[in-house]
């Protein structure tokens, strides 16, 4: 299976100039050791997903782009594709799983998306069917080289800003972000460790890497975690990247995830959704290598009640 290259990520950087925010690295002096966070919650859609969606849309031939696009998403990728499609003036349909956070679905509508709600296990199948029926182009949330390359620009920015970095911690759901970041960081900072982070309740990528084959957990199993953005597991394409380029995966508990959401809000003044806080959670729990570390905050589209509960927990 062909993997993306650092050249693909560099090309994506050029396409995304002026579209995405070049997020800073924020030092966390309140945390032990040397922790910096990369706040992708500051992107226009509140998450890193704008990078992959915008890159994939830009790569479509004009005729296919004009016919409209479709995806399946629990929230952040759907918002990102809707935002990018609106900029191009094209139709966007998002198939969302039942139970997706209302704050994310409402944002999709604000960006002009049409949504179709289905049971979680049927969202990819439904999106493929509607794409065929309506002549739409499917832009998957992670299972595409252009999406992975766009997400990789998170890693190229980290490497450019801190070439002396020793470890990069990345949330893992579908694996597109981790695949892209590992590709970019390993090319520019080969001595740095790139570590994926998953909730214990949705650790299918960790099990896959340990067994040497792709293992898929059913939605009723991954749906137990509060980190809704990482309830989906890797594809064959992203798993191939993770096997080749990731240095390992660690897991965090639900309590550790919510504690990290609270700590980021109180001490860093950054709003992170539970999925976005898992990398910081792993660092604060002492599960990652020592040294100068960047934890990627992948998104900040959190339900208000979840944020309030996390902030109050240790406030």
């Amino acid at each position: 299976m062909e993997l993306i290259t650092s050249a693909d990520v560099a090309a994506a950087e050029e396409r995304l100039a002026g579209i995405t925010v070049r997020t800073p690295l924020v030092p966390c002096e309140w945390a032990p050791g040397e922790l910096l966070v990369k706040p992708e919650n500051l992107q226009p859609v509140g998450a890193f997903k704008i990078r992959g969606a915008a890159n994939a849309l830009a790569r479509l031939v004009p005729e296919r782009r004009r016919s409209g696009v479709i995806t399946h998403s629990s929230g952040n990728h759907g918002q990102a594709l809707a935002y990018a499609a609106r900029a191009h003036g094209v139709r966007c349909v998002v198939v969302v799983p039942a139970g997706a956070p209302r704050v994310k679905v409402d944002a999709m509508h604000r960006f002009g998306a049409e949504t179709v709600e289905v049971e979680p296990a049927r969202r990819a199948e439904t999106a493929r069917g509607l794409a065929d029926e309506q002549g739409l182009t499917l832009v998957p949330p992670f299972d595409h080289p252009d999406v992975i390359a766009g997400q990789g620009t998170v890693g190229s920015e980290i490497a450019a800003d801190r070439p002396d970095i020793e470890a990069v911690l990345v949330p893992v759901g579908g694996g597109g972000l981790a695949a892209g970041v590992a590709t970019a960081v390993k090319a520019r900072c080969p001595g740095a460790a790139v570590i994926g982070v998953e909730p214990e309740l949705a650790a299918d990528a960790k099990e896959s890497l340990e067994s040497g084959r792709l293992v898929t957990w059913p939605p009723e199993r991954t749906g137990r975690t509060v980190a809704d953005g990482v309830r989906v597991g890797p594809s064959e394409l992203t798993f191939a990247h993770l096997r080749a380029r990731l240095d390992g995966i660690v897991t965090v508990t639900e309590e550790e995830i919510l504690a990290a959401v609270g700590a980021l809000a109180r001490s860093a003044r950054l709003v992170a959704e539970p999925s976005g806080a898992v990398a910081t959670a792993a660092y604060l729990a002492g599960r990652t290598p020592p040294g100068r570390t960047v934890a990627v905050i992948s998104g900040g589209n959190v339900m208000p009640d979840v944020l309030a509960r996390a902030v109050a927990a240790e406030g």
Side-chain angles (χ1 to χ4, degrees):
M1 185 174 295
E2 188 173 349
L3 307 186
I4 70 159
T5 67
S6 58
D8 295 322
V9 178
E13 272 194 288
E14 293 186 12
R15 285 185 209 102
L16 296 178
I19 298 174
T20 58
V21 173
R22 196 185 193 290
T23 53
L25 294 180
V26 180
C28 299
E29 296 184 2
W30 47 271
E34 296 181 78
L35 173 67
L36 304 99
V37 293
K38 187 163 178 64
E40 287 292 292
N41 57 313
L42 302 182
Q43 292 293 347
V45 299
F48 76 96
K49 290 284 192 177
I50 185 61
R51 297 174 183 265
N55 187 55
L57 200 58
R59 290 270 290 159
L60 290 179
V61 297
E63 293 78 12
R64 292 189 68 188
R65 189 164 54 236
R66 282 194 295 268
S67 70
V69 291
I70 187 170
T71 194
H72 52 92
S73 168
S74 64
N76 286 337
H77 178 68
Q79 293 178 65
L81 188 62
Y83 181 91
R86 185 178 68 174
H88 285 277
V90 302
R91 182 185 178 205
C92 177
V93 179
V94 183
V95 178
V96 299
R102 197 73 245 162
V103 65
K104 297 183 179 182
V105 178
D106 289 345
M108 292 182 212
H109 293 155
R110 284 198 305 274
F111 294 136
E114 305 165 36
T115 59
V116 178
E117 185 175 298
V118 299
E119 288 304 308
R122 294 185 53 240
R123 61 185 190 174
E125 166 199 347
T126 302
R128 288 191 295 269
L130 289 173
D132 292 340
E133 290 172 18
Q134 302 183 24
L136 302 168
T137 297
L138 178 64
V139 180
F142 51 86
D143 189 26
H144 195 285
D146 292 336
V147 173
I148 296 172
Q151 320 302 32
T153 60
V154 171
S156 57
E157 290 177 8
I158 292 171
D161 288 349
R162 291 305 297 260
D164 59 343
I165 203 66
E166 295 173 271
V168 178
L169 311 180
V170 194
V172 178
L177 177 62
V181 168
T183 298
V185 170
K186 288 299 185 181
R188 299 193 185 192
C189 306
V194 182
I195 307 294
V197 185
E198 287 184 302
E200 284 185 355
L201 298 183
D204 39 6
K206 186 175 190 293
E207 183 178 339
S208 296
L209 287 177
E210 289 175 347
S211 66
R213 60 181 179 84
L214 186 61
V215 176
T216 302
W217 288 17
E220 57 269 21
R221 188 176 182 188
T222 61
R224 298 171 300 161
T225 180
V226 70
D228 61 276
V230 293
R231 288 173 180 163
V232 63
S235 65
E236 292 285 357
L237 178 62
T238 56
F239 178 58
H241 283 79
L242 300 184
R243 282 190 76 178
R245 294 172 180 164
L246 208 61
D247 291 292
I249 290 185
V250 298
T251 60
V252 286
T253 67
E254 298 298 288
E255 294 75 18
E256 288 164 346
I257 294 169
L258 290 175
V261 171
L264 287 167
R266 291 190 306 271
S267 301
R269 310 313 190 259
L270 291 169
V271 173
E273 61 191 87
S275 308
V278 296
T280 304
Y283 181 89
L284 295 177
R287 297 214 175 83
T288 58
R292 193 172 300 104
T293 301
V294 170
V296 177
I297 299 176
S298 56
N301 297 312
V302 58
M303 292 291 287
D305 61 321
V306 174
L307 178 62
R309 178 157 50 102
V311 172
E314 304 220 7

